[in-house]
Amino acid sequence: MDGNGEDRANDDAAAAADFASPFDRAEWFALLEAHGFAGGGRYDAKATAGGVTAWLPLRAEKPGHLAGLTNWYSFAIRPLYEGSGDRAAALAALFGDLRKRAARVSLYPVRDGDRAAIRSALRTAGWWLTASPAGDRHWLDLSDMDHDRWWASRPGALRSTVRRKAKKGIVDIELSTRFDAANWAAYEDIYAASWKPEEGDPALLRAFAEAESARGTFRMGLARIEGAPVAAQFWTVEDGTAFIHKLAHVEDSLKASPGTLLSAALFRHVIEVDGVKRVDFGTGNDAYKRDWMNRHEPLWRIEAFNPSRIAAWGPASKAFVRSMLGKDT
């Protein structure tokens, strides 16, 4: 554990956490497909066994190569299930069926808690594979902490910044739970003026925000200085978890710390009003995330190769050798 209280999420309860995510819903995958992220075509892998149906939305990377249906907004990809019973059997059946269709399957980003089940099912189905860390996930596990206990556990420098900057009264904070076109336009202006690269697909992100608003999960914060928007954040809340999707601030406003004050306000809202028990900061290992979160784990890239397909023999043999040498993690 380091000085900000962040630790690896290696306890069984945390690793096994199975909570709903906006990136698990059929609507999300339909949105990706509608905005051109299905590559050479979408394929929904499904199989039923042991009273459970397993489902894994995929896209065609190229002939014989399927990958998880994700893009840069996705926090994770994982198999989804209907029914109660033997999930392992259903997932193994799904990957077994995929051997009739693909020479290679790529999955990224895979959460640490989902990695073992996917690896086991792939091997049961006869795939050769590698699993390698490729990125990071920071998240907050509140357990039985209320807002004040969590805030007291945060680094002193962060708490001091929020206290001092808030006392000056320069930054005005507005929180909303419904999509507003004017506020969204302000967010887009802030993002364009921020340090961040060009937004990957603003139309998709807006459509996602509008859909989340209709579901009642939308949360947005705007920070203004003298009436001018200088920082914005887009979150969603469901199943006891807050997901931080986008945040940006105008560079020349940094002295007033509007982004930090906005984060503090949103954390308070989702903990005290929405009653969340987790906050997920998505993908990326940005240093500032550690100030707010108390858990860290790797994200994984899983590459599976079908040894019955000639096209996979080269990469599959390399994966097999790595496995025999104990290098397959």
Side-chain angles (χ1 to χ4, degrees):
M1 180 177 293
D2 54 29
N4 65 358
E6 185 180 63
D7 200 0
R8 286 293 300 272
N10 54 6
D11 55 284
D12 291 341
D18 189 15
F19 51 87
S21 160
F23 307 107
D24 291 341
R25 290 197 300 272
E27 294 83 355
W28 171 249
F29 299 112
L31 189 64
L32 290 179
E33 184 179 16
H35 285 261
F37 290 98
R42 176 175 172 178
Y43 176 69
D44 285 359
K46 283 190 176 183
T48 300
V52 178
T53 296
W55 172 43
L56 185 60
L58 301 167
R59 67 172 184 266
E61 291 284 273
K62 56 185 179 180
H65 183 187
L66 296 173
L69 183 53
T70 62
N71 74 349
W72 49 82
Y73 298 126
S74 303
F75 284 20
I77 183 72
R78 61 179 175 177
L80 305 169
Y81 302 95
E82 295 178 0
S84 59
D86 191 346
R87 289 187 171 187
L91 188 56
L94 182 154
F95 286 128
D97 289 345
L98 273 181
R99 286 192 59 187
K100 304 170 188 176
R101 176 175 290 268
R104 180 177 179 180
V105 173
S106 302
L107 297 176
Y108 174 82
V110 175
R111 294 188 320 179
D112 206 40
D114 299 316
R115 173 176 56 115
I118 294 172
R119 288 175 60 204
S120 177
L122 282 165
R123 285 179 170 147
T124 297
W127 293 81
W128 291 346
L129 64 112
T130 61
S132 54
D136 299 86
R137 171 180 175 239
H138 292 267
W139 57 291
L140 170 62
D141 176 14
L142 283 160
S143 298
D144 61 349
M145 289 189 291
D146 60 14
H147 173 271
D148 291 347
R149 283 185 60 197
W150 162 74
W151 187 238
S153 73
R154 297 301 83 210
L158 175 64
R159 290 183 285 117
S160 176
T161 295
V162 171
R163 182 174 60 252
R164 289 185 294 103
K165 301 297 184 177
K167 188 176 181 180
K168 291 183 177 181
I170 296 173
V171 180
D172 295 317
I173 301 293
E174 175 190 355
L175 303 183
S176 58
T177 59
R178 290 291 182 269
F179 181 91
D180 177 85
N183 285 350
W184 193 259
Y187 155 73
E188 291 182 332
D189 289 343
I190 292 165
Y191 191 96
S194 74
W195 77 102
K196 291 179 173 288
E198 182 178 350
E199 183 64 79
D201 195 314
L204 183 153
L205 189 65
R206 176 172 178 146
F208 174 58
E210 291 174 330
E212 293 301 299
S213 178
R215 295 183 67 246
T217 63
F218 177 90
R219 304 290 182 269
M220 188 170 191
L222 275 177
R224 295 181 174 88
I225 296 177
E226 296 181 349
V230 293
Q233 298 187 18
F234 165 39
W235 298 30
T236 60
V237 172
E238 66 177 285
D239 196 22
T241 302
F243 298 86
I244 304 176
H245 299 284
K246 301 297 291 186
L247 70 170
H249 60 257
V250 177
E251 285 295 290
D252 60 10
S253 68
L254 279 176
K255 289 184 179 180
S257 301
T260 301
L261 292 177
L262 191 53
S263 291
L266 278 161
F267 270 93
R268 180 179 289 277
H269 180 92
V270 299
I271 294 171
E272 293 189 341
V273 178
D274 295 314
V276 305
K277 292 300 181 182
R278 297 169 295 272
V279 181
D280 194 330
F281 226 136
T283 63
N285 199 29
D286 309 87
Y288 67 85
K289 294 181 178 181
R290 302 168 194 170
D291 289 343
W292 302 93
M293 304 302 180
N294 61 6
R295 293 288 188 268
H296 166 257
E297 64 187 18
L299 292 168
W300 295 85
R301 182 183 302 278
I302 295 178
E303 298 285 351
F305 306 94
N306 185 349
S308 67
R309 294 288 190 98
I310 293 176
W313 284 1
S317 63
K318 293 178 182 179
F320 182 73
V321 170
R322 287 177 60 85
S323 178
M324 292 298 98
L325 292 176
K327 294 181 179 180
D328 172 22
T329 54

